[in-house]
Amino acid sequence: MIDGPPIEVNGRRYALPRQPVVVVCVDGCEPAYLERAIEAGAAPWLASTRAGTWLVGDCVMPSFTNPNNLSIVTGAPPSVHGISGNYFWDPQAGVEVMMNDPKYLRADTILARLADAGAAVAVVTAKDKLRRLLGHGMKGICFSSEKANETTEAEHGIADALRFVGQPLPSVYSADLSEFVLAAGVRLMQTRRPDVMYLSTTDYVQHKHAPGTPEADAFYRMMDGYLRQLDALGCVIALTADHGMNAKTDAAGRPQVVYLQDVLDAWLGAGRARVILPITDPYVVHHGALGSFATIHLARPGDAIRVIAQLSATPGVAEVYDNATGCARFELPPDRMGDVIVVSKRDVVLGTSPERHDLSLLREPLRSHGGVSEETVPFVLNRPLTADAPAATGLRNFDIFDCALNWAR
Ligand SMILES: [Zn+2]
């Protein structure tokens, strides 16, 4: 194990690990998934962590994958690290831009700084869209299950990860994509024993199956087996989620959608408003690019007051703010959000226009995230925290490295 003084990253101090630390971000893990799997007897290892640290915390808004994964690895909200969604509108360039590129990242990661301090660091993520952001500036191993067949020593710190893990390349739309992440973590710990490992799964199962369903319990049974192996290898394991997940349907199972672009075009005339849905990414099959958060760019900023008033009175809308108020409330970077920020209610999603969302791709009733209603996430460690640890209330998912490195006994 490495020795040295604590490092400081984004204004927070982190002790160097004295034993291997594994932080697991379980994508879309509404806390009820863990509770129901334990009740069903599907997750005995997780049940045993109740003797360690069994808490909940809040994720960052919007409750999407990329902003939260980057918050977890930077220990900071999006106002600091800059990744406020999968997409943003770049008004200077006049284009919608994917935020997968590390050039949009405004903060160091804890992972990169631990590697600089001499720690052996490994990162495995399900989807490749996160890999370059998570691994930015980091010496060590960093690859995705999605492209495990393409890894090289130079780019990913490990050649032929597919063969190393010894499982077939999973489909990007499968529970296997997450299983590969966990299997890779166990294999890495057995063979290379990194000091710090970050594992990030995908929410394919959670988008389709509610807590307590046989499919969900099977997923957590699978996960439980791998975490048990990591525990047996002597790791501190800290588990949280990027966001929760809720059904977004009416009593008949039909999606409940507010199509914002159509609403705004009717109020303001065509071409006066641009709706950005930051959930949008290349992988839309399981959510149809429908989430509970949107931002609106207005051609005439003076329209904001009227738009906010009218949206506030629109059924299905939970919260509407101007840029400054919304960014202060949700700790977002103002220059990457529009003039208006909208959050929908728990069982409602926000879209642009019906023709831009192919709901025929959905094989199960819509489940999604993005809103305040998906903020609560698990905060679980297989160790108790020391008596002098900060209060266990008001935790955020991005406090997980702090707890795992500084306060786990
Ligand atoms: Zn996610």
Side-chain angles (χ1 to χ4, degrees):
M1 284 288 116
I2 48 165
D3 209 14
I7 58 165
E8 192 172 319
V9 190
N10 303 317
R12 303 180 73 170
R13 282 157 64 92
Y14 299 93
L16 301 181
R18 289 181 301 269
Q19 54 210 315
V21 167
V22 182
V23 172
V24 186
C25 176
V26 184
D27 199 325
C29 188
E30 190 72 26
Y33 281 110
L34 302 183
E35 288 149 17
R36 299 294 301 275
I38 288 171
E39 283 166 22
W45 180 82
L46 275 166
S48 77
T49 63
R50 285 187 158 153
T53 302
W54 185 270
L55 298 166
V56 292
D58 280 347
C59 75
V60 303
M61 285 287 289
S63 51
F64 291 133
T65 302
N66 286 18
N68 275 283
N69 269 272
L70 271 298
S71 281
I72 292 168
V73 302
T74 59
S79 53
V80 172
H81 63 67
I83 305 299
S84 54
N86 299 329
Y87 258 98
F88 79 108
W89 170 252
D90 183 340
Q92 271 84 46
V95 286
E96 290 185 27
V97 185
M98 288 276 286
M99 265 198 270
N100 290 359
D101 194 303
K103 73 182 180 192
Y104 297 114
L105 189 56
R106 293 171 169 165
D108 285 343
T109 71
I110 301 163
L111 301 165
R113 300 296 306 284
L114 284 168
D116 289 343
V121 182
V123 175
V124 188
T125 169
K127 290 178 182 174
D128 207 60
K129 72 173 178 181
L130 261 171
R131 178 183 60 85
R132 287 198 303 145
L133 286 169
L134 293 176
H136 183 56
M138 189 196 97
K139 298 187 292 279
I141 294 170
C142 182
F143 65 93
S144 70
S145 328
E146 182 184 352
K147 299 203 171 162
N149 58 328
E150 296 177 13
T151 69
T152 63
E153 191 74 47
E155 166 86 17
H156 308 85
I158 186 168
D160 199 356
L162 190 64
R163 187 171 157 164
F164 172 79
V165 176
Q167 294 195 357
L169 189 70
S171 154
V172 74
Y173 297 115
S174 73
D176 298 346
L177 198 73
S178 293
E179 177 164 3
F180 193 95
V181 171
L182 297 161
V186 169
R187 189 93 181 96
L188 284 165
M189 198 51 69
Q190 286 169 336
T191 57
R192 308 202 177 190
R193 205 165 172 83
D195 301 307
V196 178
M197 191 154 68
Y198 182 66
L199 304 176
S200 183
T201 65
T202 179
D203 55 8
Y204 173 83
V205 167
Q206 290 78 5
H207 268 291
K208 289 175 172 290
H209 305 292
T213 56
E215 294 87 351
D217 286 349
F219 178 87
Y220 287 94
R221 185 186 299 279
M222 173 278 289
M223 189 176 89
D224 196 79
Y226 288 102
L227 297 181
R228 173 184 294 281
Q229 291 183 67
L230 289 170
D231 192 0
L233 289 161
C235 303
V236 172
I237 301 172
L239 180 152
T240 189
D242 53 350
H243 52 79
M245 187 75 72
N246 278 307
K248 302 289 181 180
T249 48
D250 62 15
R254 288 177 300 235
Q256 304 203 96
V257 189
V258 177
Y259 289 106
L260 285 175
Q261 190 68 58
D262 287 6
V263 166
L264 292 161
D265 289 353
W267 290 344
L268 305 174
R272 299 295 188 185
R274 176 183 296 275
V275 175
I276 297 290
L277 305 175
I279 194 174
T280 310
D281 72 8
Y283 319 86
V284 296
V285 169
H286 46 308
H287 52 62
L290 292 166
S292 289
F293 184 96
T295 186
I296 303 164
H297 296 262
L298 296 168
R300 298 174 300 205
D303 286 337
I305 291 169
R306 176 183 164 199
V307 165
I308 290 167
Q310 288 183 244
L311 282 176
S312 299
T314 300
V317 170
E319 301 182 40
V320 194
Y321 301 106
D322 61 42
N323 177 291
T325 310
C327 289
R329 158 130 168 70
F330 297 130
E331 301 169 279
L332 290 165
D335 59 324
R336 291 186 178 166
M337 304 307 294
D339 302 289
V340 175
I341 291 169
V342 193
V343 181
S344 60
K345 290 186 173 160
R346 181 190 176 95
D347 53 358
V348 176
V349 284
L350 302 171
T352 50
S353 308
E355 66 274 13
R356 288 170 64 185
H357 298 276
D358 187 358
L359 300 182
S360 71
L361 295 172
L362 297 172
R363 298 216 172 75
E364 284 85 13
L366 180 65
R367 298 173 55 74
S368 195
H369 51 96
V372 175
S373 46
E374 290 81 36
E375 252 185 341
T376 308
V377 292
F379 196 103
V380 171
L381 285 87
N382 65 341
R383 306 287 163 93
L385 302 182
T386 55
D388 54 343
T393 53
L395 283 168
R396 311 291 300 274
N397 59 355
F398 63 79
D399 296 324
I400 197 94
F401 270 100
D402 173 47
C403 279
L405 290 165
N406 296 333
W407 310 108
R409 271 201 271 142

